[in-house]
Amino acid sequence: MAPLDTGIGAAVRRREDARFLTGRGTYTDDINRPGQAHAYILRSPHAHATIKKVDIKKAKSSPGVIAVYTGEDFKPINGVPCGWLVTGKNNKPMIEPKHPIIAEGKARHVGDPVAVVIAETKAEARDAAEKIDIDYGALPAVVDMKAALKGGGKSVHDAAPDNLCFDWELGDKAATDAAFAKAAHVTTLDLVNNRLVPNALEPRAAIGDYDKATGEHTLYTTSQNPHVIRLLMGAFVLGIPEHKLRVVSPDVGGGFGSKIYHYAEEALVTWAAKQLGRPVKWTADRSESFMSDAHGRDHVSHVELALDKDNKFLGFRFETLANMGAYLSTFAPCIPTYLHGTLLAGNYSTPAIHTNVKAVFTNTVPVDAYRGAGRPEATFMIERVIDKAARELKTDPAELRRKNYIKPEQFPYQTPVALMYDIGNYGATLDQVLKLSDPGGYAQRKAASKAKGKLRGRGIASYIEACGIAPSNVVGSLGARAGLYEAATVRVNPTGSVVVFTGSHSHGQGHETTFAQVVSSMLGIPMESIEISHGDTNRVPFGMGTYGSRSIAVGGTAIHNAVNKIIAKGKKIAAHMLEAAEADIEFKNGKFTVAGTDRSKAFGEIALAAYVPHKYPLETVEPGLDETAFYDPKNFTFPAGSYVCEVEVDPDTGVVEIQSFAAADDFGRIINPMIVEGQVHGGLAQGIGQALTEACVYDKNGQLQTGSFMDYCMPRAQDVPNFKVAHSVTACTHNPLGVKGCGEAGAIGAPPTVINAIVDALQEYGVEHIDMPATPHRVWKAIQDAKARKR
Amino acid sequence: MHNFEYHRAGSLADAASALKKAGEDGKLMAGGQTLIPTLKLRLAQPSAVIDLSGIKELASIKAGAGEVTIGAGATHAAVAASKDVQGKIKALADLAAHIGDRQVRHRGTIGGSLANNDPAADYPAAVLALGATIVTNQRKIAADEFFKGLFETALKPGEIITAVSFPAPEKAAYMKFANPASRFALVGVFVAKTKGGVRVAVTGAGESGVFRSAALEKALSGNFSAKAIEGVAMPAKGLNSDIHASAEYRAHLIGVMAKRAVAAAG
Ligand SMILES: Cc1cc2nc3c(=O)[nH]c(=O)nc-3n(C[C@H](O)[C@H](O)[C@H](O)COP(=O)(O)OP(=O)(O)OC[C@H]3O[C@@H](n4cnc5c(N)ncnc54)[C@H](O)[C@@H]3O)c2cc1C
């Protein structure tokens, strides 16, 4: 490939940052359409209540009000669909209650929309909403999952009296039970994977626009996947055919999963714009985001690990309750199942694994994918129980892991939980992280901490991730209601510049840089000649969007394949122009050359010839240079790695400080090391947030107690250390770029690493486990409880 | 927020008469760091907002013999940066330097903080521990008389804080254990060795706001050292329990912060 400094492997600075850092981005809320009206959504203050009567009279006559809608108005309209059907034990399909745009008869979580006011200004809409009089009949709330499953007359949906959405299992139960029966040692652990609020910097927003003359709808929305929204909202909710519905996701300020889903507000503004003949805009404020963006995680699990007398893993057994919230968000059922159960082999060659997941409805905000999505929950269970086993067996936690790793020569490796890992070298990243984290100096550092009155601990964890969920026919058989390919169009302009249209939306990942590097390398042209276009269904051929660290592996490969089509066509044109056989044309460094000669045509000359086809093989080749590829991967990709963290605990206050953090990852081939490092840093910061600071808390009445940053603690710069990051490479075997993806790794590997370190620090008290977030209060309490037990 | 009349007062007298005219629903605004969020969340609906931030006389910081008088309108940043405060009561400058974030410190004022009397605010601990005097446009109020419970003070309707006068202590220090989310005080302890004796004020922890700890004061009176507090039991009764900290944890932290404060006071 071309020796350009903008090609694959170069640490090119992010092109998009110039506009983001100077405030010149265009986010959905920056867009204003002529004649635009504003929507304010009135949300339920109750976790669970019947809506007996809604009186909108006073609101309707409030200044500036254009319309007021309630659940009644949306009754004939479909609810927001779920994109994945999970089938449980005995072929029982999940229970899938309607998720109405505006609550019908019942509000099921604090924040459930109960009415909407559309007015000339947002303030007027809000003023009017205060005049809506709703007669609620408060119902007992379902909050705790264990209690929810007992039913007891408290159900979120009549269709699920005991609040069970599905009861799903994976793995060979008999074989796993047999493994436990012959185990020399069994380690068990009960743990919670804490519920998180995604908190993207940019709150969600949506503008509906309707052109009466053409009958075309346009939705501007903060989405990670505009085509998916077009499909879900157009086909399943509002019945608008694709050719009359354009979805635009302009600059989006972070998603972390929370902007994958089709939300009620999108359908609401699209529908209302047509009703009113005016554009309708809605922008969430932060308080609204807390109670309406899909939350993440929220599992309660029991974990068991069986080992033989040589400390080889014989079996893993898992029982998990997964919170779905009040309604099924777009991909909710898939997260604790196909993105979680299938990951439970981790990095280890354990012969028998069984998991049972019960998905539970509660009167809380819907729960769906959040950076990592199922995989952090899986990794946390595995890596915590292994750590506990190492302690019980008095063996080195790194070496216990190493002993049980799948060895490089075992790939491709079929796990007992459905996945086939193509390649990896877990020992290599373990060696790397150990080297980075100076185990030799640990005793001295621990002594130095002790001298300051602090307890030092060291934690290690390995992780595996499955990215680029695919192939479509397999996921289809598992219940996915969409394909999981990606599309790209590479359009070469007459003068040789290139526009790439990709379905992989960028909202922080740096696609505009990375994707351009791929094209720059392949075509041998500078980055400045390449534009990456995404986020508009009228421009991009199709796309499944950005989530699950799939962009480079799936979207990048689609671009790669489209570029190859361009090169193939270019060869035909060049052969004609150079009067040589097509088979003799080589393309290298931006030049088509007759092999073994100095006769060549530059890429730009071929582009011009394609659009000004004077000397051109018109009989056999169409003019133009514009190619599209759809790529459906053969398998997931499997990034993996190992992390080490050292913490200091202040036993007087329970405060935990991360002293060092080293991360060694294998992401396959790396396109832009700087962007990859940035993704690792961000993922680690979020993982540290989950481990130390973040907790979404509901009280027993279903009131959200952490509804603002006053109570919900995001990690701050001072909570995060300087990271030491390294990579090793085993190239993915089934995509041409050899890439795996890196977006979620940090958020997956960091939580168990940090918690393992904290538990290690608390060994003198005999603390065995601590739930996340390990806040000062919780750490202090764990110490007090352990002291009390000892007494 | 709802609509309201806005009046930017040019002088204290102007503010007082505007407030009187506005009646019950009038509201003073200093830095707006508490008031504006309250308005945005529609938790308050004043008919008129009288902005004090343009009144120069309120922003002054003056040092006298053995005391510092800080105008109600002095921002946290100004107090933190004041040579007079740093010289006479370093603990107070340090406290101000750790309120909120940079933006908040450059708008929020001591008068606003005290009038608001948030149970997790920092200044009330300093005012109470140092035995400061709150000066209003009508009278002087001793610290011990000023704080009346959660968000409640001795201020009467129409009364405007103009300054706070702090006697310089022999020794003093403030230790704050910040709520991890809000960074207000989960527990804040201000210890001061003053002419009138040792005073210890605790903020963030009490069910009814800032309070003096008789037990700690007694222990420190004889021996102003961290050791002296070692055995002092801190009862959890009367302390807050919430999602961030139990009353027991707060009680424990009062002891830890008090020790650290005494050690820091030297
Ligand atoms: C993000 C954030 C973080 C914060 N962190 C902290 C923290 O760590 N510690 C802490 O202590 N505080 C913190 N605060 C609060 C901050 O210190 C505020 O500035 C302070 O509480 C109010 O001061 P103000 O000047 O902004 O008052 P305003 O908001 O303008 O007014 C507050 C109240 O006081 C009244 N008032 C104002 N001035 C007078 C006066 N002269 N006489 C009588 N009444 C008056 C007003 O009518 C109003 O009721 C934080 C605030 C924010 C927004």
Side-chain angles (χ1 to χ4, degrees):
Chain A
M1 299 219 178
L4 286 173
D5 54 7
T6 55
I8 290 174
V12 180
R13 290 219 179 154
R14 290 172 25 124
R15 308 205 280 175
E16 42 273 76
D17 285 350
R19 84 174 180 277
F20 294 149
L21 298 178
T22 57
R24 290 188 172 82
T26 303
Y27 297 86
T28 301
D29 191 56
D30 294 325
I31 296 171
N32 292 297
R33 305 295 302 156
Q36 164 183 293
H38 296 265
Y40 178 81
I41 296 168
L42 187 64
R43 296 178 183 276
S44 171
H46 298 281
H48 199 191
T50 51
I51 301 167
K52 293 197 223 157
K53 210 177 138 226
V54 184
D55 184 351
I56 58 172
K57 240 188 279 111
K58 270 191 247 143
K60 270 192 139 161
S61 58
S62 188
V65 170
I66 301 162
V68 181
Y69 300 114
T70 69
E72 280 300 310
D73 299 293
F74 285 88
K75 257 194 183 150
I77 296 169
N78 288 335
V80 182
C82 180
W84 200 297
L85 170 74
V86 166
T87 304
K89 286 181 186 164
N90 306 321
N91 267 330
K92 194 168 182 278
M94 69 186 192
I95 292 171
E96 194 177 352
K98 185 177 180 185
H99 182 180
I101 309 292
I102 301 283
E104 287 169 14
K106 239 186 206 183
R108 291 188 172 85
H109 66 85
V110 168
D112 208 359
V114 289
V116 55
V117 180
I118 294 164
E120 296 296 338
T121 69
K122 200 173 170 178
E124 285 170 333
R126 195 166 176 178
D127 285 343
E130 284 180 0
K131 297 175 189 158
I132 297 176
D133 193 7
I134 303 188
D135 186 6
Y136 287 106
L139 296 169
V142 177
V143 181
D144 176 74
M145 285 194 277
K146 279 186 190 145
L149 288 175
K150 295 199 185 107
K154 289 208 261 174
S155 30
V156 181
H157 296 280
D158 296 342
D162 51 2
N163 299 301
L164 182 67
C165 176
F166 58 78
D167 182 355
W168 178 88
E169 64 179 340
L170 183 67
D172 186 333
K173 183 157 186 347
T176 309
D177 290 346
F180 275 82
K182 66 172 190 209
H185 185 88
V186 172
T187 297
T188 65
L189 184 60
D190 286 289
L191 51 80
V192 173
N193 203 288
N194 43 327
R195 186 184 184 108
L196 303 175
V197 180
N199 282 321
L201 201 53
E202 178 206 21
R204 287 188 300 117
I207 306 169
D209 200 351
Y210 179 69
D211 185 334
K212 237 186 188 153
T214 62
E216 190 182 277
H217 291 267
T218 304
L219 168 68
Y220 301 88
T221 181
T222 48
S223 175
Q224 301 178 212
N225 29 238
H227 282 89
V228 176
I229 303 307
R230 188 181 67 170
L231 177 72
L232 292 174
M233 184 180 80
F236 296 99
V237 186
L238 297 178
I240 306 170
E242 280 95 335
H243 69 293
K244 292 293 179 194
L245 175 57
R246 174 182 176 202
V247 179
V248 182
S249 298
D251 287 330
V252 172
F256 312 110
S258 71
K259 291 172 182 167
I260 299 172
Y261 326 118
H262 174 39
Y263 285 97
E265 293 87 354
E266 294 168 325
L268 196 156
V269 295
T270 305
W271 178 85
K274 184 175 180 185
Q275 299 289 310
L276 303 174
R278 290 178 66 169
V280 175
K281 181 182 205 169
W282 168 80
T283 303
D285 59 27
R286 186 57 66 181
S287 310
E288 222 173 346
S289 302
F290 269 99
M291 56 173 144
S292 71
D293 292 0
H295 292 173
R297 317 276 195 256
D298 205 349
H299 287 190
V300 175
S301 298
H302 175 73
V303 190
E304 297 179 342
L305 168 60
L307 302 97
D308 71 11
K309 60 176 184 3
D310 299 322
N311 293 348
K312 287 283 282 182
F313 300 168
L314 296 173
F316 275 112
R317 223 160 26 191
F318 304 95
E319 290 280 343
T320 289
L321 301 183
N323 204 335
M324 295 285 103
Y327 304 101
L328 294 180
S329 174
T330 310
F331 288 116
C334 150
I335 309 310
T337 53
Y338 296 106
L339 288 178
H340 178 252
T342 54
L343 269 292
L344 289 171
N347 311 53
Y348 310 100
S349 57
T350 312
I353 300 172
H354 181 262
T355 182
N356 174 219
V357 177
K358 293 190 178 77
V360 187
F361 290 116
T362 58
N363 290 118
T364 62
V365 172
V367 180
D368 207 326
Y370 168 71
R371 200 171 192 168
R375 292 151 292 184
E377 297 90 317
T379 306
F380 191 67
M381 293 199 294
I382 298 168
E383 295 299 317
R384 280 292 302 129
V385 79
I386 291 175
D387 220 64
K388 189 164 177 239
R391 191 156 286 120
E392 288 171 356
L393 296 165
K394 302 194 168 40
T395 180
D396 179 70
E399 293 316 310
L400 180 61
R401 286 176 170 86
R402 191 194 298 278
K403 175 177 228 159
N404 286 285
Y405 278 160
I406 301 159
K407 305 290 179 299
E409 61 276 13
Q410 287 176 279
F411 293 101
Y413 180 82
Q414 175 64 55
T415 74
V417 277
L419 295 181
M420 168 86 90
Y421 298 169
D422 65 333
I423 194 167
N425 185 347
Y426 309 143
T429 48
L430 181 64
D431 289 340
Q432 250 179 338
V433 82
L434 290 176
K435 204 168 144 201
L436 278 180
S437 61
D438 183 26
Y442 179 65
Q444 208 178 342
R445 293 193 294 279
K446 189 165 173 77
S449 299
K450 182 109 200 157
K452 290 188 292 179
K454 300 277 173 70
L455 306 170
R456 199 177 188 95
R458 183 175 162 91
I460 185 165
S462 300
Y463 77 90
I464 180 151
E465 182 183 5
C467 305
I469 175 170
S472 292
N473 49 2
V474 173
V475 294
S477 73
L478 299 178
R481 287 164 169 162
L484 285 159
Y485 46 82
E486 196 47 83
T489 292
V490 174
R491 178 169 300 161
V492 182
N493 294 314
T495 57
S497 66
V498 172
V499 185
V500 177
F501 300 91
T502 170
S504 299
H505 188 275
S506 187
H507 37 277
Q509 295 85 353
H511 293 171
E512 292 169 36
T513 305
T514 312
F515 289 172
Q517 285 180 253
V518 172
V519 177
S520 171
S521 264
M522 290 182 73
L523 292 181
I525 57 175
M527 289 255 291
E528 296 73 63
S529 305
I530 304 160
E531 196 63 38
I532 305 295
S533 175
H534 60 89
D536 183 343
T537 59
N538 272 16
R539 298 186 77 187
V540 177
F542 209 79
M544 296 312 298
T546 294
Y547 43 83
S549 305
R550 70 195 296 273
S551 293
I552 194 64
V554 192
T557 302
I559 293 171
H560 170 276
N561 291 355
V563 172
N564 268 348
K565 289 186 185 181
I566 295 282
I567 295 172
K569 185 168 180 180
K571 282 184 178 171
K572 286 193 169 70
I573 302 168
H576 182 90
M577 291 172 76
L578 293 164
E579 295 172 344
E582 188 189 329
D584 291 338
I585 302 293
E586 282 176 350
F587 181 66
K588 233 173 112 185
N589 299 341
K591 263 196 218 154
F592 293 91
T593 308
V594 182
T597 75
D598 60 356
R599 285 164 51 228
S600 69
K601 289 278 172 197
F603 179 72
E605 292 177 87
I606 297 299
L608 191 63
Y611 288 94
V612 189
H614 294 164
K615 193 173 182 242
Y616 196 87
L618 282 169
E619 306 72 33
T620 51
V621 183
E622 290 174 9
L625 202 50
D626 188 325
E627 296 287 348
T628 295
F630 279 67
Y631 172 69
D632 203 275
K634 290 193 197 66
N635 192 358
F636 291 81
T637 65
F638 298 99
S642 286
Y643 297 167
V644 168
C645 161
E646 286 185 20
V647 299
E648 260 184 10
V649 177
D650 179 345
D652 288 339
T653 59
V655 169
V656 175
E657 261 182 42
I658 296 184
Q659 297 295 314
S660 66
F661 202 111
D665 298 283
D666 176 357
F667 297 133
R669 200 145 157 237
I670 286 172
I671 308 293
N672 183 323
M674 186 200 68
I675 287 181
V676 166
E677 193 166 327
Q679 288 287 313
V680 173
H681 286 191
L684 291 174
Q686 267 173 312
I688 288 169
Q690 168 159 31
L692 293 183
T693 71
E694 295 184 50
C696 175
V697 182
Y698 282 93
D699 72 8
K700 64 181 195 312
N701 300 317
Q703 288 297 324
L704 179 59
Q705 292 190 288
T706 49
S708 81
F709 293 127
M710 293 295 280
D711 294 303
Y712 187 92
C713 183
M714 294 297 283
R716 292 162 162 89
Q718 72 182 63
D719 300 317
V720 171
N722 280 319
F723 300 113
K724 286 188 188 158
V725 178
H727 306 295
S728 67
V729 176
T730 60
C732 174
T733 59
H734 53 79
N735 67 46
L737 291 168
V739 291
K740 297 182 181 175
C742 66
E744 293 159 298
I748 295 171
T753 312
V754 173
I755 297 299
N756 289 346
I758 295 171
V759 171
D760 185 51
L762 301 180
Q763 275 322 290
E764 65 183 68
Y765 302 107
V767 171
E768 292 189 331
H769 178 66
I770 188 154
D771 273 324
M772 300 188 290
T775 58
H777 182 201
R778 214 173 239 168
V779 172
W780 177 80
K781 182 91 174 26
I783 295 173
Q784 304 315 307
D785 290 350
K787 278 184 181 165
R789 274 198 301 274
K790 275 195 179 169
R791 260 182 232 129
Chain B
M1 61 181 82
H2 293 279
N3 286 338
F4 52 79
E5 295 290 327
Y6 173 82
H7 180 78
R8 190 171 167 82
S11 67
L12 197 54
D14 177 19
S17 80
L19 187 59
K20 194 165 177 197
K21 208 175 106 207
E24 233 173 80
D25 292 336
K27 199 89 185 130
L28 296 172
M29 179 169 81
Q33 296 304 289
T34 296
L35 186 65
I36 300 281
T38 315
L39 296 178
K40 281 170 115 177
L41 290 168
R42 300 188 164 217
L43 298 172
Q45 280 195 44
S47 57
V49 167
I50 295 116
D51 186 349
L52 302 175
S53 64
I55 306 175
K56 283 216 182 62
E57 57 191 286
L58 285 185
S60 69
I61 299 176
K62 285 189 223 110
E67 58 94 40
V68 183
T69 298
I70 300 176
T75 62
H76 311 330
V79 173
S82 158
K83 292 276 172 289
D84 287 328
V85 182
Q86 285 172 5
K88 288 224 150 55
I89 320 175
K90 187 171 173 298
L92 186 59
D94 291 347
L95 175 149
H98 290 95
I99 294 174
D101 51 46
R102 197 173 283 268
Q103 289 91 325
V104 168
R105 289 194 292 274
H106 277 84
R107 292 221 56 99
T109 67
I110 189 169
S113 179
L114 293 175
N116 192 46
N117 191 20
D118 187 309
D122 296 302
Y123 269 131
V127 167
L128 195 55
L130 293 168
T133 302
I134 285 109
V135 185
T136 77
N137 59 341
Q138 295 170 16
R139 58 186 166 141
K140 291 184 175 173
I141 310 171
D144 286 315
E145 307 302 320
F146 184 77
F147 302 104
K148 296 287 184 196
L150 302 181
F151 301 100
E152 294 288 334
T153 66
L155 291 174
K156 294 201 203 86
E159 197 166 6
I160 302 174
I161 302 177
T162 56
V164 189
S165 164
F166 291 91
E170 260 173 55
K171 289 176 177 183
Y174 177 62
M175 275 296 152
K176 170 179 181 173
F177 189 89
N179 174 320
S182 71
R183 307 281 157 121
F184 275 70
L186 195 70
V187 165
V189 179
F190 202 111
V191 299
K193 197 170 177 194
T194 70
K195 281 200 198 76
V198 173
R199 293 171 66 104
V200 179
V202 179
T203 187
E207 271 173 1
S208 37
V210 68
F211 66 90
R212 283 174 64 183
S213 167
L216 290 174
E217 289 181 0
K218 188 163 161 240
L220 290 170
S221 290
N223 173 11
F224 193 79
S225 79
K227 262 224 137 51
I229 321 176
E230 209 76 52
V232 178
M234 263 295 141
K237 199 167 167 282
L239 301 185
N240 272 328
S241 244
D242 54 32
I243 58 167
H244 302 289
S246 63
E248 290 72 28
Y249 182 50
R250 281 193 164 90
H252 167 78
L253 284 179
I254 292 172
V256 177
M257 292 300 117
K259 266 185 245 165
R260 292 183 184 179
V262 172

